[in-house]
Amino acid sequence: MKLLTIKLLNFRQFYGSQTIVFATDPVKNVTLFHAENGVGKTTLLNAILWCFYGRNSVTKKFEKSEDILSYQAALEKATHAKVDVSFEHEGKYYTVTRRYSAAPGTKGEESLTAYEVVNGNLEPLPASDAFISSVVPKEMASHFFFDGEHAESFASTGNFRQVGEAIRNMLGSTIADCAIEDLRFAAKQYTDDLAALPGDDRIRQKSAELRDAQRNLENVKSAKQRLEENIVVYNDQIAVIDQELSDTRSAKDLQQRRKELEARGKSAATALAEAERDTIRWIGRQALSVVATRLAAETLHFIDDEKLRGKIPSPYNEELVTTLLSEEQCVCGRPLPPGSEFFRNIQNLLRKAGNAEVQSRVMRARGFLGELRVKRSTAPKDLQRLQKAYAAAYQTSKITEQQLAELSQQLSNINFDEIAQKERARADLAQKARAADREIGELNLKLQIYERTIENCAREQQRLAVSSAKALKLLNRKTLAERSADLLKGILAHHEEQAKVYIAREVNEILNATARRNYRFEFGAGFSFDLTFSHNGRTVPRSSGENQLLSLAFIAALIKFCRDRSVFANDPILIPGIVAPLVLDSPFGQLDSTYRVDTASFIASMAEQVALFVSSSQGSPDVLSILNTRVGKEYVLISQNRGPRNGKHSEELVINGRRIETSLFGCEKDMTRIEEIR
Amino acid sequence: MNDEIEIKPSTLEAFLKTIIQLEKRYAHNERGAKQERRSKVVERIEEVAARELDRA
């Protein structure tokens, strides 16, 4: 299917009749729409969805979906709006028209008509809804016509059910899914009938047991699947926290460094204090020797000189002189009569006479002065050593203080409470994952028990039913319904596994070409999936940009898968795939500039025909430059307002060197005008 | 699970085709189709069971 034109008549802000012609060239396959927020990008996307499927199929962003008629048109008493979508499908041309009609004061009514264009004439088709569904089944449409929000959230963590549903939709298994559901419903009805069968209590009892065991088995299977999906989600969340914590790892390093510096500072302070004490001790011990160097030398010289001259100590002893005087006789034997001149001469000797104490004092003084001289010779070296030690300790202390001050400044900017909170959240998630794992083990045991119970009950039920024709009939029908559902389920499961392999391969190819790092995408149990680093297999903590990239890669893979399946028109079970245009509203929302450029380069190849809606922030010059060679048609949506500008900023776009004002005031009508620029 | 009730693969296959065709007919009819569709499924089960299984 290829879009040719879309004609809008009084559809929302698109007042009057306006037409868009889509690019259909295989190379220049992109139709590009520029529009700022609130001007009509989402409305245009939803115009197609509304036309094909009605108001129940528009996107969430299309608010007040019942308000179809343009306000401006309503002011002018118009009561009709419509959207015509013309397209080519399998070599034929069609126009689908959905009309909206609102008599004043009544709720609007919608009607759909599909036409085949034959020789320029419109020939109505029977069953327009069925025709549209055969061209683009409704369940597949949401993967071809979608808004940025869908592109952001589609492959986000834990969105397994939506992914599974998308794969099943694109696989075309909705009919088979419905059949399984109906067959199981019928089987349950027969089981209930068996359990309520009058007459035979044993069959009734066994059937009731079987029904309960089957119900329990289904519950356990669902619970197990939920737990398995939860574990994947927990691990994804842990990976995100790990990434955040690795960003704060530098904070931990800083903390560690602070501890080391504090220890070093403490040690330097101790060394400094020790050096001070040593210096004081040195002063006590050595300072005298330094300051009294000259005095000591002169004193020693004096003592030695006096000694040489026999003055110190005196050559006679005080005790000897006293004895001579008391005995009044000299050592030579001459008498010393008191009062005699000789006696007085001897008595005068007492003033200078030495004794043991004086001698000892002189000896000690000399010894001390001698020591001072020795100390004086080593003191400077000792002081130098102490000064060096002091200087080293002082320098270490000062540097450490400075480093601590710098660290403190860095640490004051870090929120440690938040880090602790993250650590707790991580521990909590890990605990949950372990608990889920344990619970799965318990459920596996339960599964075995229920399966055995079901087998035994079924055998017993069969044995008992043989004796009752009515019971046997019910059992035959139940068995037919169950086995058909099981068989169908098995066939679908096989197709789903093949689809998963195909999609994983395609997603990996796209990621290899676009992602910044080497990632590996793979499916797990059910439709759970994981994005891991290729080199170590660890889960990638996905940013919103990476989620959007993964979503786009996933959708591209789905579209390709669907296109490849379009050749299997005669599959007995699956609806064949389709070829349809891809209409994307704001697909680059969460991508950074590099990813935008990389994504822009593959987005044009995602489908045979692509329509893109971008705002000026998304359609940056580098993105437009990449897309330029693929753009076949280009439009700008211009907001026209009747009211005055009132100081509002002028908005304009510069496209291909042309300056276009996108927000006009003082206009005749309130509306959005579609202006073709290529 | 009911191993002792035999259903030929060809019977099962043909029955499934019938059911899928039936489902396709109701696929685009959303309003009130579910009950009617399920009644039709039960009708098909009754037909096949009566023809292929009850007599066995």
Side-chain angles (χ1 to χ4, degrees):
Chain A
M1 182 260 209
K2 203 172 259 188
L3 288 170
L4 301 175
T5 62
I6 175 167
K7 289 181 185 169
L8 308 167
L9 176 69
N10 294 332
F11 185 77
R12 306 274 275 205
Q13 62 264 58
F14 295 98
Y15 167 80
S17 178
Q18 304 197 55
T19 302
I20 293 160
V21 177
F22 287 91
T24 52
D25 186 276
V27 178
K28 288 181 173 288
N29 64 332
V30 175
T31 305
L32 187 60
F33 295 89
H34 301 270
E36 299 305 356
N37 294 333
V39 176
K41 295 193 296 288
T42 306
T43 305
L44 265 188
L45 165 74
N46 280 288
I48 300 172
L49 289 171
W50 181 79
C51 177
F52 282 179
Y53 311 106
R55 73 169 63 156
N56 293 329
S57 297
V58 294
T59 66
K60 280 184 206 163
K61 278 188 170 178
F62 190 72
E63 292 172 355
K64 293 188 178 175
S65 61
E66 68 281 4
D67 286 355
I68 295 299
L69 187 63
S70 145
Y71 292 148
Q72 179 67 46
L75 277 177
E76 296 169 8
K77 310 291 182 201
T79 55
H80 288 78
K82 72 168 181 166
V83 174
D84 297 319
V85 178
S86 297
F87 58 89
E88 179 263 318
H89 178 59
E90 294 177 348
K92 292 183 177 179
Y93 294 88
Y94 301 91
T95 294
V96 173
T97 302
R98 189 173 290 270
R99 294 178 178 83
Y100 174 87
S101 161
T106 63
K107 207 175 174 184
E109 287 180 2
E110 295 174 13
S111 63
L112 173 76
T113 315
Y115 305 90
E116 185 179 346
V117 184
V118 182
N119 300 325
N121 299 318
L122 296 179
E123 294 185 1
L125 295 168
S128 300
D129 282 315
F131 168 71
I132 292 295
S133 286
S134 70
V135 177
V136 183
K138 196 161 113 180
E139 61 271 19
M140 294 184 189
S142 61
H143 308 299
F144 286 95
F145 308 103
F146 65 87
D147 58 35
E149 196 181 329
H150 182 66
E152 284 166 30
S153 65
F154 181 67
S156 58
T157 301
N159 204 16
F160 307 136
R161 287 177 202 288
Q162 202 186 335
V163 165
E165 202 178 298
I167 292 175
R168 278 197 291 266
N169 287 341
M170 293 304 229
L171 185 60
S173 67
T174 45
I175 297 282
D177 282 332
C178 222
I180 292 170
E181 198 184 304
D182 289 350
L183 288 166
R184 293 233 191 275
F185 183 79
K188 186 179 167 296
Q189 295 288 98
Y190 289 120
T191 305
D192 288 346
D193 290 348
L194 276 164
L197 202 64
D200 193 329
D201 285 347
R202 286 175 305 165
I203 292 182
R204 198 163 57 232
Q205 191 190 340
K206 217 27 87 180
S207 298
E209 267 179 49
L210 181 61
R211 185 189 55 197
D212 292 346
Q214 283 173 332
R215 197 178 295 153
N216 289 336
L217 183 75
E218 288 310 312
N219 290 341
V220 169
K221 277 182 180 171
S222 304
K224 187 182 162 190
Q225 191 184 338
R226 271 199 304 277
L227 286 169
E228 284 170 343
E229 289 173 357
N230 285 348
I231 288 176
V232 176
V233 173
Y234 295 147
N235 287 336
D236 276 358
Q237 290 172 343
I238 285 173
V240 170
I241 291 178
D242 279 347
Q243 175 64 39
E244 289 167 354
L245 284 176
S246 75
D247 294 340
T248 64
R249 211 152 277 156
S250 58
K252 286 181 186 167
D253 291 345
L254 288 179
Q255 268 189 317
Q256 180 60 29
R257 174 97 178 114
R258 177 160 71 176
K259 278 183 189 168
E260 287 166 9
L261 282 175
E262 279 172 346
R264 187 192 292 178
K266 214 171 178 180
S267 157
T270 309
L272 196 61
E274 186 65 27
E276 275 175 349
R277 275 196 298 276
D278 285 349
T279 307
I280 290 166
R281 276 198 288 270
W282 179 90
I283 290 168
R285 283 200 308 266
Q286 317 262 44
L288 186 61
S289 69
V290 176
V291 296
T293 305
R294 194 170 169 189
L295 178 63
E298 284 184 3
T299 306
L300 265 176
H301 180 72
F302 169 77
I303 290 171
D304 290 346
D305 194 40
E306 289 297 298
K307 195 178 175 185
L308 192 68
R309 285 192 285 160
K311 285 186 177 176
I312 300 172
S314 62
Y316 39 85
N317 189 284
E318 185 189 55
E319 197 181 339
L320 172 69
V321 173
T322 308
T323 306
L324 292 176
L325 289 173
S326 65
E327 287 181 3
E328 295 178 2
Q329 189 178 14
C330 184
V331 287
C332 61
R334 285 166 64 185
L336 292 172
S340 65
E341 191 182 353
F342 194 50
F343 183 88
R344 279 195 302 273
N345 286 342
I346 294 296
Q347 198 175 30
N348 282 341
L349 287 176
L350 269 179
R351 287 202 295 265
K352 290 180 182 176
N355 56 25
E357 193 185 343
V358 170
Q359 200 158 0
S360 165
R361 275 185 197 161
V362 171
M363 290 305 289
R364 281 206 308 276
R366 199 184 182 291
F368 178 70
L369 289 171
E371 271 177 35
L372 278 182
R373 288 186 73 180
V374 174
K375 279 182 184 172
R376 173 66 184 86
S377 66
T378 59
K381 280 185 185 169
D382 289 345
L383 182 62
Q384 216 171 12
R385 184 175 50 77
L386 288 172
Q387 281 174 332
K388 272 186 184 171
Y390 182 87
Y394 181 80
Q395 196 179 7
T396 306
S397 175
K398 280 289 161 197
I399 290 173
T400 309
E401 260 178 44
Q402 199 179 344
Q403 287 174 333
L404 273 170
E406 284 168 11
L407 263 183
S408 183
Q409 179 62 36
Q410 290 176 40
L411 284 164
S412 67
N413 297 327
I414 296 169
N415 187 342
F416 284 94
D417 286 345
E418 198 182 320
I419 294 173
Q421 205 176 342
K422 283 189 173 40
E423 293 278 12
R424 281 196 296 276
R426 191 194 186 286
D428 188 41
L429 286 166
Q431 167 68 22
K432 280 182 180 169
R434 282 194 298 275
D437 201 42
R438 276 195 301 276
E439 215 175 319
I440 286 172
E442 288 163 16
L443 290 178
N444 280 336
L445 280 177
K446 283 186 181 172
L447 274 179
Q448 285 178 12
I449 292 168
Y450 289 132
E451 277 167 357
R452 209 172 302 137
T453 307
I454 288 167
E455 202 178 315
N456 292 338
C457 283
R459 196 178 300 121
E460 187 62 11
Q461 188 189 46
Q462 164 83 20
R463 193 183 65 76
L464 294 167
V466 173
S467 59
S468 159
K470 208 166 185 184
L472 191 58
K473 276 189 174 184
L474 287 172
L475 199 58
N476 281 339
R477 283 147 184 75
K478 178 174 97 84
T479 308
L480 177 63
E482 275 178 349
R483 287 202 196 159
S484 308
D486 289 346
L487 178 62
L488 206 44
K489 185 91 183 159
I491 294 169
L492 283 189
H494 172 70
H495 284 297
E496 282 170 8
E497 285 308 311
Q498 283 186 323
K500 281 160 68 177
V501 170
Y502 181 105
I503 287 163
R505 189 182 64 232
E506 288 297 323
V507 169
N508 280 320
E509 272 184 27
I510 294 168
L511 290 179
N512 281 343
T514 53
R516 206 162 280 143
R517 300 177 68 177
N518 290 329
Y519 298 140
R520 178 167 175 72
F521 172 89
E522 58 191 348
F523 281 105
F527 289 101
S528 66
F529 57 84
D530 207 2
L531 190 68
T532 54
F533 290 109
S534 304
H535 66 286
N536 62 11
R538 293 184 66 178
T539 299
V540 175
R542 277 180 271 152
S543 63
S544 44
E546 275 154 341
N547 266 334
Q548 186 163 25
L549 183 68
L550 183 59
S551 294
L552 286 170
F554 209 102
I555 289 159
L558 279 174
I559 287 171
K560 193 172 177 200
F561 173 69
C562 197
R563 186 186 63 201
D564 286 0
R565 285 196 56 260
S566 65
V567 295
F568 301 116
N570 297 319
D571 191 290
I573 291 173
L574 303 173
I575 301 168
I578 58 164
V579 177
L582 177 64
V583 183
L584 291 165
D585 176 12
S586 308
F588 305 118
Q590 298 292 330
L591 301 175
D592 60 28
S593 55
T594 309
Y595 271 158
R596 279 182 189 183
V597 170
D598 291 341
T599 307
S601 62
F602 86 81
I603 220 163
S605 309
M606 281 174 72
E608 289 183 13
Q609 188 184 31
V610 175
L612 291 177
F613 299 90
V614 294
S615 61
S616 55
S617 64
Q618 294 209 353
S620 54
D622 44 0
V623 167
L624 296 183
S625 159
I626 294 279
L627 286 172
N628 191 42
T629 54
R630 303 297 299 269
V631 175
K633 284 282 182 186
E634 200 166 4
Y635 297 89
V636 180
L637 305 189
I638 295 169
S639 168
Q640 295 189 177
N641 305 279
R642 285 192 300 172
R645 183 178 293 278
N646 279 344
K648 290 187 185 72
H649 291 295
S650 165
E651 287 179 337
E652 61 177 28
L653 286 171
V654 180
I655 303 163
N656 305 329
R658 184 179 157 194
R659 197 173 288 276
I660 302 162
E661 198 165 352
T662 56
S663 197
L664 306 174
F665 294 87
C667 301
E668 199 181 328
K669 313 274 184 191
D670 274 327
M671 62 182 284
T672 291
R673 181 164 56 81
I674 303 168
E675 186 168 323
E676 184 178 340
I677 55 171
R678 185 188 322 208
Chain B
M1 62 192 63
N2 296 318
D3 291 338
E4 291 174 39
I5 290 181
E6 277 187 23
I7 304 176
K8 288 181 204 163
S10 56
T11 304
L12 215 49
E13 204 174 306
F15 172 69
L16 264 187
K17 271 186 188 168
T18 310
I19 295 295
I20 292 287
Q21 279 168 5
L22 188 154
E23 294 285 351
K24 279 183 180 171
R25 277 209 297 281
Y26 281 87
H28 310 301
N29 189 353
E30 290 177 8
R31 285 181 193 165
K34 197 169 175 179
Q35 290 308 319
E36 192 182 327
R37 193 183 71 217
R38 287 187 167 171
S39 300
K40 294 281 180 196
V41 168
V42 171
E43 275 179 29
R44 299 290 173 274
I45 292 171
E46 291 288 339
E47 279 171 20
V48 174
R51 193 174 63 236
E52 307 276 340
L53 304 176
D54 293 347
R55 282 187 292 178

